[in-house]
Amino acid sequence: MTGPLRATAANHYPWGNGCDGWRLVDRPELSLREERLPPGGAEAPHYHRVSRQIFYVLAGELTIKVPGRILLAKAGEALEIPPGLGHLVQNNGPEDLRILLVSAPDTAGDRYPVEDHAAVPTDVAHHPMYWL
């Protein structure tokens, strides 16, 4: 058991276009991160072959684009992304988006760009990869 987890300079990492993250739990089988996306902040579209992710919104509004749909979540709501589903996380709102991101297992070594059709496993190849 550990003590309280919090965002500090020691566990901070920059990512995307002006986004910030903090590693709260960082184990191979599970990760918990707090992330901040400024207005217009986004990550590159990708998918995970093994990892399942849950995005819980602390503040702002989360937009996740998946093949054929746009998913929205506000503060107090969560979105789940199963393995194999291409996704693009964005902040299209006027204020900072703050989320908690749970990944099980951790996504280290399990991140593939959606443009890389050769890397798409056959069990998820039915997802159209041209949705952006």
Side-chain angles (χ1 to χ4, degrees):
M1 175 149 213
T2 63
L5 307 169
R6 66 177 60 91
T8 67
N11 60 5
H12 175 262
Y13 59 94
W15 65 275
N17 55 341
C19 302
D20 292 293
W22 295 268
R23 291 178 181 91
L24 303 175
V25 174
D26 199 17
R27 296 193 302 262
E29 71 276 9
L30 177 70
S31 72
L32 173 63
R33 298 168 190 235
E34 181 177 340
E35 294 188 338
R36 183 197 66 81
L37 289 76
E43 64 178 339
H46 66 280
Y47 70 95
H48 307 283
R49 289 185 185 192
V50 178
S51 298
R52 176 175 303 277
Q53 295 188 299
I54 298 172
F55 298 81
Y56 180 81
V57 180
L58 298 170
E61 183 175 90
L62 170 65
T63 300
I64 300 182
K65 292 183 179 179
V66 298
R69 294 184 65 193
I70 296 176
L71 308 172
L72 302 173
K74 296 180 181 180
E77 298 177 332
L79 294 172
E80 179 180 358
I81 301 296
L85 182 61
H87 56 282
L88 170 64
V89 175
Q90 297 177 295
N91 178 5
N92 293 330
E95 61 185 87
D96 279 357
L97 168 64
R98 289 184 43 245
I99 61 173
L100 289 177
L101 172 57
V102 176
S103 300
D106 183 50
T107 59
D110 185 34
R111 182 182 170 103
Y112 303 90
V114 295
E115 294 86 7
D116 186 359
H117 295 281
V120 178
T122 56
D123 60 332
V124 296
H126 65 278
H127 292 302
M129 302 309 255
Y130 52 82
W131 46 270
L132 297 176

